[in-house]
Amino acid sequence: MQMTHQQTTSGRIDFTVISGLRFGVTALLACAVLAGCSTTGSQGHGQSPQDPYESFNRSIYSFNEGLDRNVLRPIARGYEQVVPTPARTGVSNFFGNLGDAWSFVNNTLQFKGEAAMSSFFRVAVNSTFGLGGLLDVATEMRLERYKTDFGMTLGHWGVPTGPYLMLPLLGPSTVRDTAALPADYYGNPLTHLSPSSHRYALTGLRIVNTRANLLGTTDLLEEAAVDPYIMMRDFYLAQRVSGEASDGKLDDDYYDEDDGVLPDDSAEIKVPAVPEVKTQ
């Protein structure tokens, strides 16, 4: 099932793409606790050694949640009602194909031969036979998707994650992943698209489409979660640890084996397995 900066002032719009995808990943993983896959239990302020700035992070989290609730979520609901499912699937496939291009670069930097080749051929196949990525032909050919980023590349080369951070607009991160954001921004093909009006339009579409794909998941999380902040934090950290443990492959249902397949409204929602978070 499909879930899901330039240095100038106007460039910040591009940076929010990373926020949308990162929010989607953590929301999907947090949903797993609702199915009883894993739970970290209730924690008080400052009890996680990975989150020494919890008080500050919670204030940023509240700001981000307010912005999402009052601005992004209503837009996403309107988009979901107006745009038919096949069109939204094509949009998700298109941006997933762009992500595969950056994954190819990072898998190469991590010397992951199989993952790099799979990413390369996914881009080649989907960009040609998939009408520029609108159709995910590569998944039908069983070319596995190895999604990774520059933060994972730094981790492969021994850079520690550092403390957990909640960034304004950008969502959950760590010190290492925050340092990697400029590289991830530059590696986004949309960054180099001209004219800028096209770049901003596609950026906005990507954010809204990603948020729309996750409306059901986040609504369920808000209804059931005792402390959504802790869930988002712990499952984000677990997802990053899982990526390192699995040799750079991120366990992300935004990129699952059903990419490119039109969703069946009667199909059961698949909940990803969540690894245990190990404090350092």
Side-chain angles (χ1 to χ4, degrees):
M1 175 178 178
Q2 288 284 105
M3 294 299 269
T4 119
H5 21 160
Q6 297 171 343
Q7 300 298 325
T8 62
T9 302
S10 60
R12 289 188 177 182
I13 300 177
D14 286 341
F15 235 140
T16 57
V17 172
I18 302 173
S19 171
L21 296 179
R22 184 167 293 168
F23 176 83
V25 172
T26 52
L28 284 167
L29 290 171
C31 184
V33 78
L34 305 179
C37 293
S38 176
T39 182
T40 56
S42 299
Q43 300 180 32
H45 292 306
Q47 290 190 2
S48 173
Q50 294 176 303
D51 190 9
Y53 313 121
E54 183 173 346
S55 179
F56 170 79
N57 286 335
R58 281 183 178 272
S59 64
I60 300 300
Y61 172 81
S62 297
F63 168 78
N64 289 346
E65 283 297 292
L67 185 64
D68 176 72
R69 180 173 58 255
N70 296 308
V71 179
L72 188 55
R73 191 177 309 181
I75 295 175
R77 291 195 186 279
Y79 170 84
E80 183 183 47
Q81 294 174 0
V82 172
V83 181
T85 299
R88 298 200 308 271
T89 299
V91 171
S92 297
N93 290 338
F94 173 78
F95 289 117
N97 190 50
L98 296 183
D100 283 339
W102 184 231
S103 293
F104 162 70
V105 174
N106 281 283
N107 282 315
T108 301
L109 292 174
Q110 297 173 34
F111 299 116
K112 310 292 175 54
E114 178 182 354
M117 291 300 295
S118 183
S119 298
F120 173 81
F121 283 111
R122 283 189 61 87
V123 175
V125 169
N126 286 338
S127 297
T128 52
F129 301 107
L131 304 179
L134 294 177
L135 302 177
D136 191 355
V137 180
T139 293
E140 299 299 322
M141 296 175 61
R142 300 193 180 280
L143 288 172
E144 191 168 8
R145 175 169 265 152
Y146 292 85
K147 182 180 182 295
T148 188
D149 54 35
F150 194 65
M152 298 302 298
T153 298
L154 293 178
H156 174 79
W157 290 107
V159 178
T161 59
Y164 174 78
L165 295 176
M166 179 65 67
L167 303 179
L169 303 180
L170 302 182
S173 185
T174 63
V175 170
R176 184 189 70 194
D177 292 343
T178 301
L181 284 178
D184 285 330
Y185 157 75
Y186 188 80
N188 179 4
L190 293 181
T191 301
H192 313 285
L193 180 64
S194 294
S196 60
S197 59
H198 294 174
R199 181 169 68 250
Y200 297 149
L202 286 175
T203 295
L205 175 61
R206 186 176 189 176
I207 296 170
V208 173
N209 183 74
T210 300
R211 187 64 185 91
N213 288 338
L214 294 162
L215 285 172
T217 301
T218 52
D219 289 346
L220 180 63
L221 176 63
E222 287 187 352
E223 292 175 2
V226 176
D227 190 337
Y229 170 83
I230 288 180
M231 283 190 177
M232 178 172 286
R233 178 193 68 192
D234 290 353
F235 282 97
Y236 173 80
L237 293 174
Q239 183 254 352
R240 302 304 287 183
V241 170
S242 174
E244 294 181 12
S246 60
D247 208 21
K249 182 183 177 184
L250 298 185
D251 184 15
D252 181 355
D253 257 18
Y254 183 80
Y255 298 96
D256 65 12
E257 67 270 17
D258 290 333
D259 270 0
V261 180
L262 297 184
D264 181 357
D265 291 338
S266 63
E268 181 181 358
I269 297 177
K270 296 185 301 181
V271 180
V274 180
E276 179 183 358
V277 180
K278 297 181 180 179
T279 57
Q280 300 177 352

